[in-house]
Amino acid sequence: MMLRCVTFLAPVFFPTYQAIVAYLARRVGQPIELEVGTSFDAFAAGAADLGFVCGLDYVRLTACQPESVELLAAPVAVAMRYCARPVYFSDVVVRQDSRFTRFADLRGATWVYNEQVSYSGYVAVARALSLQGETCAYFGRCLASGSHERSLQMVLDGMADATALDSHVLDLLLVARPELSQQIRIIASIGPATSPPVIAASRLDRGLKEALREALLSMHTEREHARILQESCLHCFAPVTDSSYDEIRSVYVQQEQ
């Protein structure tokens, strides 16, 4: 039986997910196809079996369709800032020559975000502002780009003053494009939050789900696959539970009120 895996995360990681899916297919002895997801209803409808999703997407999905999916694992990034935990940050980025040196300087600035459903790109920033008694009106202008990569390019091109990027995405972009380290500055980091998880449809056979989970958790122990993870700035996958996403869930609940 062909398993269907969908990703709702940044395109820059698609080759990584392809490699992970190929590894999982070999480990569980079943073919798995990977495609870009279009609807979270696919899990309940039987059109998707596995997924790479944002933590906020997981929270929304389980709130709307309880017991439709289960957590398998979440990635642990290599950099020391992650302290060997499955977490990530929302990194606020400006151009290297920008006059802005801290988040508090951005009042009235032109802000670009990838999409409003993104935790790192939009929601985490909105929450940080709300804790200061502010709204996104704090910025003089807000622009939607459609992706983290496009947001970064708009900052580099001078179309926007600042953006917030998923720190895992930024790690990989800095490896793929070393020149970026001389072109941008991180002026704030919001978080950490629990990393975007790998999920499975609850309807899958329990033994299969356990095999997939075990494969993810042991991927870093195989030399070839450890190299694949390292090339994607990841160290390993770690266990996560529903409560790991309680902080993101609390933000989601506040949004819905």
Side-chain angles (χ1 to χ4, degrees), residues 66-122:
E67 301 181 359
S68 61
V69 298
E70 296 178 20
L71 294 164
L72 293 181
V76 177
V78 169
M80 291 183 62
R81 68 188 295 200
Y82 303 109
C83 301
R85 296 183 297 155
V87 298
Y88 75 122
F89 296 86
S90 177
D91 284 339
V92 180
V93 172
V94 299
R95 290 183 305 281
Q96 184 66 246
D97 61 357
S98 173
R99 62 186 175 86
F100 303 114
T101 60
R102 54 181 185 153
F103 190 84
D105 296 336
L106 295 176
R107 184 182 295 276
T110 297
W111 177 266
V112 60
Y113 60 90
N114 54 336
E115 51 187 352
Q116 289 191 358
V117 295
S118 168
Y119 188 78
S120 58
Y122 185 89

Side-chain angles (χ1 to χ4, degrees), residues 46-60:
D49 302 303
L50 304 171
F52 298 94
V53 301
C54 173
L56 183 59
D57 292 333
Y58 165 74
V59 166
R60 286 191 173 117

